[in-house]
Every structure is written in structure tokens, then in C-alpha cells.
């Protein structure tokens, strides 16, 4: 197995002089060298051939001893020196001080086809940033990360990628619901791939310590290696950087809202400066359309990270990044200008995205009202978001209202639930919608094709991930393989997989792992 390695991050940025692997505060350093813990009996569960391929690896490589050794942390790849990064962050709105890669270890950078990627193991043992935790990850959460990261990519949502899922052969103790019932679970290691794993929190750390030198080194490094399109100098350079992060973050959130993804823990340490989805913890997918829903039981009370709040939280997090970069800019005005544009930009992009979901190519003044009426209506009775939008593409210009309603009814969790007034509301909305699509020049067939490229047929519903986890815990990975293949083509009709185009089964409504997840991982 041959990787074209590169170690820019460690070569150009200040290292922690200590290599003692115990939890501690680390000053004036962007990383600490640390070795993964050797797993006792590693075995490969699954790998993404596509990710391997863009790293320059073949299918044969995936099944090699080298691969297993490297991506389980068993053997350090020649010429590399793994490291963990310190970062800080605001967690659930509160300043949390130094956090860092507590169970993530960066192996190296890889250069292939002119693109550079950082490889990172998650769950490969403790680092100086593990605080009171063990540095490991369980199979349950590792499956969720591996499957979802790849599913998001195929949905067209910017994300970190997942190369492999490996069982460590070690047991890990977890109290899943934090209710005093710890139990041993299988340990696992995911190898994640991204341009870098630098987060808003990396900048917040140095700013909070008034370590402006390291802040500047890190920011210059980040721009030089990861934002090569930024050609400006001095203050302008930092503003362009902030502007770009704002833009890509916004685009990521629009995509989350499009597919019904709820991240669950949008702390600033979980925000990538690349505008890619990172840290798949207690995330979830909207089943019935409910903007107030969050899967994260830790956030049950305030629901800070609920679906409908994600755009506002992204902006809140960008404020924290702006504060962190401020010492390099020393002028709040231009930062505020960028931040102030966020909400109007978001509204514009959201509107466009929703127009696409509805198959509307022409912009009409009445569209915002049509969309608002719809999102209110979707909440009146439990209505499955994915099924609704997918089936809406079957509505035709000449449809009678009853027929149009029949086409979308499958999305209602209880088809008899609709009181007369709800059905009346649906009739009204469908009438507006049919009138509206009659103003379009595209045919019913063209609209359906267009909508089906925007509204996925298959998403990783929470219960699907849980079924997969239950089987994998018993050593059966067939469902994992099946779901991985299914989710590679989320917009395609896959008649043989129609069973996954279904509403959440009743047993999954309140089941742990299906609609309720804790941060335990
Ligand atoms: P998260 O909520 O997963 O984003 O994690 C927040 C912080 O806790 C990060 O600094 C993680 O590295 C750290 N962390 C989470 N789980 C563990 C673990 N099992 N061992 C060590 N650190 C952890
Ligand atoms: Mg995290």
C-alpha cells in the first residue's frame, strides 16, 4: 500500500514540545505528537472504495495487511508522525475552554491527483486532549459516522468522508443514556478524510488566550494551504477568509435543511472551516416534518440545535469565529458587514432551495407564501418529509385535487388523521401548487425529473441505522453493506429497495438510538 504522504501541518506550525500523553493544557502549539493505541485484534468491517480511490488506493490495498494496520492505528505508516490538535469551543452556548482532539488522531496528509487530504483516526486512543474520557469510540457510533458521512456525500451535502470502519477487538465502557447503567460495547475506529480537520474552535483557542502569534500562524497556514484562491494580503486576506467560511457554512446549512438533516451538536468545536459537515454524533433525520425536533437528548430541554434553529446557530457560531479572528483585523465593521449579510443571503438561498424542492424554475413573487403555507401545513398532522417531497413530483398540471391529494397521502403517518379542516387546508394548498406549476413552461415529466434530483428517495433514517447497528453488534454486517450501497444512489429509484422508502415504523418512534440519542459514543 503506497500513500503519497505530506506533512505540511506539522512541518510549518508550532509543536507542543512535550510528547507525554496525559491530559493537560497545551500552550502556544497547534498540535501534540501522539501515537494511536495498538488495538488488540483489529478487523476490517467496511471500507469506502471511492474514498480509497481518491487517496490513490486500490481495492486490493483495502484488503491488505498494511491497510488494516495503518487504519486501525496498529502500525504507524513510514515517514509519518501522528498528532492531535488542541482547539476550544462554545458548547451549547457556553464557553468550554480547551477541548481538542480527545479521541481523534491525525495520521498524515496525503497528496493525490493534485488534491491534499488529511487522514484521521477516530477512536484510536487517548491524547493530551482526552480530558477525563478514554479516547475510544464504540461500534454503534462508528457505524453511524461511517454510513452517514458517505450518505451525505452522495446526497450532495458537503461533508468529511469516511474511508474505513474497523473493529478494534477491545471493549469500551459506555453509559448510553447517562442513567447509571454502564455496559461494555465493542470498540471501533473510523478513518476520516477531509481537506483538514481545522475547526472554528482552533482559532477560538488562541484568541481566548490572547496568543495572537499562534493565532496568526494558524490563520496564515490555513489560508495558504486550504484557501489558495485568496490572493489578498494583510487585513483583507483575513476578511476574505472569514467571508469564504461564512459562505460555505451557509451553503452547508441550506443543504442540511434541504434533506432534513439535524446535526444535533452544533458546538463551535464541531464546525469545520471548510463548511463541511463534521462530527457525526447524535444527529438525526426528520421523519415527520417538525422544525422543533432534535435527536439529541442532552439538548432536550432547550432544543438549541433543533432543525429549524440550525441557520441561526450557524450564524451564532460565525460570530464566535469573527471574535476569534478579530485580533488579526482590529476592525469590527467589515466583520459585521459580512455577518449582517448572512440572514438575507440565507433567506435567498433557502427560497431558491425550496423552489427547487417544489420543482419551480421561474421565480414568482407569491413563492415565499406558497412555501410558508406548505411548511406550516406539513406540521398540522405528522407528515413524512422525505416521502412528501418525493411524491409531490407525481402531481400533475391537470390533476383534480382529490387525485393530487392521493399522490401525497402516503406521507401522512396516520392517513385517517386528517380532520376535515386539515384536508381542506391541503386542498387549498394543492390548488395553489397546481396553479403555480401551470405557470411553468416545463412539462410534468421534466419537473418530476428535476425534483427527483433535489428530493432524495432514500435517507439514513434513524431506525435504519439502528437496525444496522443491532445486526452488526451480533457480527452480521449484511445490512451495513446493503445500506451503504443503497445510500450511494439516494436520488435513484431502486425498486428492489422500496422497503426503505417507508415511514418510520411505530416501534422506532421513541426507541433509544432511533429518535433519541445521547452524546455517548
Ligand atoms: P463531541 O461532543 O463528540 O464533539 O466531543 C467534544 C469533545 O470531547 C471533543 O474535544 C472530543 O474530542 C472529546 N471527546 C468526546 N468523546 C471522547 C472520548 N471518548 N475520549 C476522549 N475525548 C472525547
Ligand atoms: Mg466534536
Amino acid at each position: 500500500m503506497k500513500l503519497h504522504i505530506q506533512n505540511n501541518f506539522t512541518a510549518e506550525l508550532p509543536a507542543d514540545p512535550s510528547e507525554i500523553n496525559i491530559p493537560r493544557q497545551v500552550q502556544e502549539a497547534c498540535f501534540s505528537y501522539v501515537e494511536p493505541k495498538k488495538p488488540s485484534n483489529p478487523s476490517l468491517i467496511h471500507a469506502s472504495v471511492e474514498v480509497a480511490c481518491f487517496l490513490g488506493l486500490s481495492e486490493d490495498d483495502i484488503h491488505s495487511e498494511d491497510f488494516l494496520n495503518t487504519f486501525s492505528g496498529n502500525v504507524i505508516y513510514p515517514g509519518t508522525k501522528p498528532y492531535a490538535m488542541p482547539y476550544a469551543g462554545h458548547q451549547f452556548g457556553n464557553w468550554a475552554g480547551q477541548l481538542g482532539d480527545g479521541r481523534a488522531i491525525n495520521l498524515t496528509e496525503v497528496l493525490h491527483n493534485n488534491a491534499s487530504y488529511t487522514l484521521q483516526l477516530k477512536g484510536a486512543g487517548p491524547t493530551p486532549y482526552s480530558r477525563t474520557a478514554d479516547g475510544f469510540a464504540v461500534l454503534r457510533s462508528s457505524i453511524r459516522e461511517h454510513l452517514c458521512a458517505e450518505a451525505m456525500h452522495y446526497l450532495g451535502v458537503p461533508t468529511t468522508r469516511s474511508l474505513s470502519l474497523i473493529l478494534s477487538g477491545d471493549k469500551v465502557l459506555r453509559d448510553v443514556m447517562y442513567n447509571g447503567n454502564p455496559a461494555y460495547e465493542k470498540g471501533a475506529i473510523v478513518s476520516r478524510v477531509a481537506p483538514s480537520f481545522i475547526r472554528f474552535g482552533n482559532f477560538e483557542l488562541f484568541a481566548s488566550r490572547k496568543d495572537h502569534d499562534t493565532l496568526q500562524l494558524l490563520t496564515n497556514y490555513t489560508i495558504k494551504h486550504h484557501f489558495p484562491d485568496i490572493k489578498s494580503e494583510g487585513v483583507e486576506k483575513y476578511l476574505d477568509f472569514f467571508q469564504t467560511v461564512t459562505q460555505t457554512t451557509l451553503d452547508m446549512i441550506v443543504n442540511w435543511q434541504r434533506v432534513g438533516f439535524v446535526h444535533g451538536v452544533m458546538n463551535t468545536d464541531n464546525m469545520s472551516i471548510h463548511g463541511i459537515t463534521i462530527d457525526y454524533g447524535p444527529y438525526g433525520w426528520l421523519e415527520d416534518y417538525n422544525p422543533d425536533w432534535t435527536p439529541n437528548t442532552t439538548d432536550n430541554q432547550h432544543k438549541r440545535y433543533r432543525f429549524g434553529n440550525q441557520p441561526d446557530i450557524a450564524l451564532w457560531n460565525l460570530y464566535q469565529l469573527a471574535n476569534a479572528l478579530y485580533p488579526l483585523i482590529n476592525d469590527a465593521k467589515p466583520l459585521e458587514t459580512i455577518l449582517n449579510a448572512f440572514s438575507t443571503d440565507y433567506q435567498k438561498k433557502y427560497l431558491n432551495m425550496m423552489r427547487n424542492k417544489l420543482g419551480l424554475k421561474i421565480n414568482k413573487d407569491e413563492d415565499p407564501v406558497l412555501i410558508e403555507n406548505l411548511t406550516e401545513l406539513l406540521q398540522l398532522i405528522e407528515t413524512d418529509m422525505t416521502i412528501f417531497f418525493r411524491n409531490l413530483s407525481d402531481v400533475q398540471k391537470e390533476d383534480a385535487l382529490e387525485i393530487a391529494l392521493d399522490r401525497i397521502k402516503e406521507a401522512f403517518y396516520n392517513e385517517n388523521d386528517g380532520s376535515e379542516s386539515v384536508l381542506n387546508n391541503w386542498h387549498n394548498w394543492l390548488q395553489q401548487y397546481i396553479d403555480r406549476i401551470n405557470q411553468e413552461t416545463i412539462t410534468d415529466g421534466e419537473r418530476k425529473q428535476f425534483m427527483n434530483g433535489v428530493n432524495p428517495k432514500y435517507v439514513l433514517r434513524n431506525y435504519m441505522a439502528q437496525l444496522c447497528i443491532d445486526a452488526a453488534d451480533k457480527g452480521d454486517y449484511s445490512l451495513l453493506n446493503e445500506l451503504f450501497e443503497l445510500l450511494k444512489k439516494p436520488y435513484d429509484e431502486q425498486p428492489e429497495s422500496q422497503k426503505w422508502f417507508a415511514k418510520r415504523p411505530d416501534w422506532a418512534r421513541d426507541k433509544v438510538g432511533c429518535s433519541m440519542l445521547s452524546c455517548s459514543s
Side-chain angles (χ1 to χ4, degrees):
M1 184 180 79
K2 182 97 193 78
L3 291 168
H4 186 190
I5 60 164
Q6 180 182 266
N7 290 308
N8 289 334
F9 191 86
T10 49
E12 294 183 27
L13 289 169
D16 171 9
S18 166
E19 292 191 25
I20 300 169
N21 191 5
I22 51 162
R24 57 199 158 83
Q25 295 290 307
V26 173
Q27 308 289 335
E28 295 174 8
C30 290
F31 63 93
S32 304
Y33 288 115
V34 61
E35 294 200 353
K37 165 114 181 358
K38 282 184 188 296
S40 62
N41 186 21
S43 60
L44 178 69
I45 294 182
H46 191 267
S48 166
V49 176
E50 190 184 281
V51 178
C53 191
F54 70 60
L55 296 173
L57 301 177
S58 66
E59 274 204 74
D60 282 348
D61 286 327
I62 289 175
H63 299 288
S64 68
E65 189 84 10
D66 270 358
F67 186 95
L68 184 64
N69 279 333
T70 305
F71 298 110
S72 65
N74 202 27
V75 173
I76 292 170
Y77 191 85
T80 67
K81 199 165 173 180
Y83 61 95
M85 296 184 291
Y87 52 77
H90 283 82
Q91 299 187 315
F92 299 96
N94 304 309
W95 176 243
Q98 180 189 292
L99 301 165
D101 292 328
R103 53 154 165 194
I105 297 179
N106 301 280
L107 294 181
T108 182
E109 295 148 35
V110 167
L111 193 67
H112 186 65
N113 286 341
N114 284 325
S116 166
Y117 307 94
T118 301
L119 307 186
Q120 184 184 78
L121 301 185
K122 183 165 175 181
T127 76
Y129 309 105
S130 296
R131 297 178 291 158
T132 56
D134 58 10
F136 297 111
V138 292
L139 178 60
R140 157 175 63 79
S141 65
S142 305
I143 287 177
R144 285 172 52 83
E145 171 132 16
H146 182 65
L147 266 183
C148 197
E150 290 303 282
M152 291 284 266
H153 166 74
Y154 293 108
L155 282 165
V157 184
T159 176
T160 56
R161 302 294 300 270
S162 182
L163 171 64
S164 58
L165 170 64
I166 291 177
L167 219 46
S168 66
D170 297 304
K171 294 276 183 227
V172 175
L173 192 63
R174 289 288 180 271
D175 186 0
V176 181
M177 292 317 287
Y178 301 127
N179 57 4
N181 290 309
Y184 281 100
E185 299 183 46
K186 293 181 181 177
I189 300 145
V190 161
S191 55
R192 304 201 283 196
V193 180
S196 89
F197 290 91
I198 302 170
R199 304 142 189 268
F200 291 13
N202 291 71
F203 302 91
E204 288 182 273
L205 177 69
F206 302 119
S208 73
R209 292 173 172 170
K210 304 205 167 21
D211 177 1
H212 298 161
D213 290 344
T214 316
L215 174 69
Q216 187 158 28
L217 285 174
L218 176 69
T219 314
N220 287 345
Y221 172 90
T222 304
I223 296 169
K224 174 180 159 197
H225 287 284
H226 300 296
F227 295 78
D229 291 344
I230 296 179
K231 304 285 185 220
S232 46
E233 286 297 330
V235 167
E236 271 316 306
K237 174 168 85 167
Y238 303 124
L239 286 170
D240 288 347
F241 169 57
F242 183 63
Q243 167 75 62
T244 309
V245 178
T246 302
Q247 202 54 59
T248 53
T249 301
L250 190 155
D251 291 339
M252 173 185 76
I253 302 289
V254 173
N255 271 296
W256 288 1
Q257 307 308 97
R258 174 174 63 86
V259 298
F261 176 77
V262 189
H263 182 282
V265 205
M266 288 179 71
N267 294 334
T268 56
D269 52 298
N270 289 338
M271 299 292 290
S272 160
I273 47 111
H274 301 287
I276 57 181
T277 316
I278 188 172
D279 281 8
Y280 291 89
Y283 67 80
W285 297 82
L286 284 194
E287 288 177 301
D288 57 294
Y289 182 87
N290 174 6
D292 290 334
W293 185 71
T294 173
N296 187 354
T297 50
T298 313
D299 191 23
N300 217 355
Q301 199 185 353
H302 302 293
K303 300 196 192 300
R304 178 180 172 85
Y305 299 140
R306 62 191 183 273
F307 178 72
N309 213 27
Q310 295 188 127
D312 283 348
I313 292 293
L315 177 58
W316 193 93
N317 289 343
L318 285 161
Y319 266 93
Q320 310 317 313
L321 179 62
N323 282 333
L325 295 175
Y326 175 80
L328 306 179
I329 295 164
N330 280 313
D331 183 2
K333 266 248 159 64
L335 286 168
E336 276 166 9
T337 306
I338 296 169
L339 289 163
N340 288 340
F342 182 95
S343 299
T344 36
D345 285 354
Y346 178 80
Q347 282 313 323
K348 261 189 231 153
K349 291 205 169 180
Y350 175 79
L351 178 60
N352 243 343
M353 177 275 283
M354 289 301 285
R355 272 199 183 105
N356 290 342
K357 282 181 84 67
L358 294 179
L360 308 177
K361 293 251 186 183
I362 306 169
N363 297 352
K364 291 274 175 192
D365 290 346
E366 70 253 35
D367 292 347
V369 175
L370 181 74
I371 290 164
E372 207 179 306
N373 288 346
L374 173 63
T375 51
E376 277 170 22
L377 200 46
L378 284 171
Q379 298 170 61
L380 281 187
I381 52 171
E382 273 190 312
T383 307
D384 192 272
M385 178 180 178
T386 305
I387 296 177
F388 171 78
F389 281 104
R390 189 73 183 188
N391 285 6
L392 187 66
S393 70
D394 289 330
V395 171
Q396 304 197 349
K397 290 182 181 181
E398 302 298 326
D399 271 351
L401 286 182
E402 273 312 317
I403 293 188
L405 187 61
D406 275 347
R407 297 191 197 276
I408 58 152
K409 257 189 175 163
E410 184 190 355
F412 299 158
Y413 270 82
N414 183 351
E415 287 186 28
N416 305 318
D417 203 13
S419 68
E420 208 160 315
S421 80
V422 172
L423 289 182
N424 274 341
N425 283 330
W426 271 111
H427 279 152
N428 288 341
W429 188 84
L430 285 166
Q431 187 61 62
Q432 288 172 45
Y433 182 63
I434 290 171
D435 290 346
R436 182 62 186 79
I437 57 179
N438 273 289
Q439 298 178 49
E440 295 279 322
T441 53
I442 51 172
T443 65
D444 287 328
E446 287 165 339
R447 190 179 55 261
K448 182 179 165 83
Q449 197 184 1
F450 170 55
M451 289 170 78
N452 285 357
V454 179
N455 299 314
K457 172 133 185 169
Y458 302 106
V459 295
L460 181 61
R461 291 170 183 270
N462 313 304
Y463 83 90
M464 290 162 65
Q466 190 56 40
L467 286 174
C468 174
I469 289 164
D470 290 342
D473 250 336
K474 299 187 189 104
D476 176 359
Y477 305 123
S478 53
L479 189 51
L480 174 65
N481 287 307
E482 180 185 335
L483 293 182
F484 193 91
E485 294 308 313
L486 172 78
L487 297 169
K488 268 186 181 170
K489 293 181 181 142
Y491 299 101
D492 286 10
E493 292 295 326
Q494 301 183 54
E496 69 287 1
S497 299
Q498 191 68 18
K499 68 172 176 208
W500 299 120
F501 182 67
K503 285 166 282 197
R504 168 200 59 219
D506 230 29
W507 59 259
R509 182 179 288 270
D510 300 310
K511 186 173 171 351
V512 172
C514 295
S515 67
M516 298 197 310
L517 291 134
S518 73
C519 288
S520 155
S521 55

